[in-house]
């Protein structure tokens, strides 16, 4: 269509090397293919935390553009709410709420 978006996220995406874009995409594909266990699984938790850490390193100067980590943190929060870690669930939901509020995704 020839439309070139100039929002901060699209500009950041275009400024990144294809290697970084590919790595971010791979992390997201890996996340989408995960099977969330019904019980608390520390290796699963470590795997998710590793994904979040990896994503954070790609945009250290633009944490407000971390939409991918928002989705992963939200899913991890729901996972914790189904297991025995409700305090962790609330912590992640609070982080995501603040993130969304800052970006005006939530109008409160």
């Amino acid at each position: 269509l020839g439309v070139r978006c100039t929002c901060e996220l699209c500009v950041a995406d275009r400024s990144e090397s294809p290697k970084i874009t590919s790595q971010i995409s791979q992390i997201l594909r890996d996340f989408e293919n995960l099977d969330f266990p019904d019980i608390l699984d520390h290796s699963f938790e470590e795997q998710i935390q590793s994904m979040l850490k990896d994503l954070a390193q790609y945009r250290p100067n633009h944490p407000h553009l971390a939409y991918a980590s928002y989705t992963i943190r939200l899913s991890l929060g729901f996972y914790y709410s189904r297991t025995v870690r409700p305090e962790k669930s609330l912590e992640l939901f609070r982080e995501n709420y603040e993130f969304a509020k800052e970006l005006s995704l939530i109008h409160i």
Side-chain angles (χ1 to χ4, degrees):
L1 295 172
V3 175
R4 186 174 176 96
C5 182
T6 59
C7 78
E8 190 176 5
L9 179 62
C10 289
V11 169
D13 283 345
R14 285 193 300 270
S15 70
E16 291 171 341
S17 72
K19 180 180 178 183
I20 288 176
T21 302
S22 174
Q23 290 170 329
I24 291 171
S25 295
Q26 184 60 52
I27 291 169
L28 295 176
R29 279 192 300 276
D30 291 346
F31 172 73
E32 289 174 2
N33 291 325
L34 284 177
D35 288 325
F36 280 68
D38 290 329
I39 58 171
L40 188 61
D41 180 340
H42 294 292
S43 64
F44 174 79
E45 184 179 356
E46 289 171 4
Q47 185 178 11
I48 294 287
Q49 294 295 349
S50 176
M51 288 177 175
L52 289 169
K53 182 181 174 187
D54 290 347
L55 284 171
Q57 78 179 355
Y58 294 118
R59 289 194 176 131
N61 298 327
H62 302 283
H64 59 288
L65 298 178
Y67 292 100
S69 61
Y70 174 87
T71 302
I72 294 173
R73 282 194 318 266
L74 187 61
S75 297
L76 185 58
F78 282 114
Y79 165 71
Y80 283 143
S81 72
R82 289 189 346 249
T83 61
V84 294
R85 302 284 300 271
E87 72 286 350
K88 293 292 285 180
S89 177
L90 289 173
E91 178 184 322
L92 287 165
F93 290 147
R94 190 174 305 116
E95 287 175 16
N96 278 356
Y97 169 78
E98 293 300 325
F99 176 81
K101 191 169 81 171
E102 182 178 320
L103 296 175
S104 299
L105 297 176
I106 296 176
H107 301 287
I108 293 180

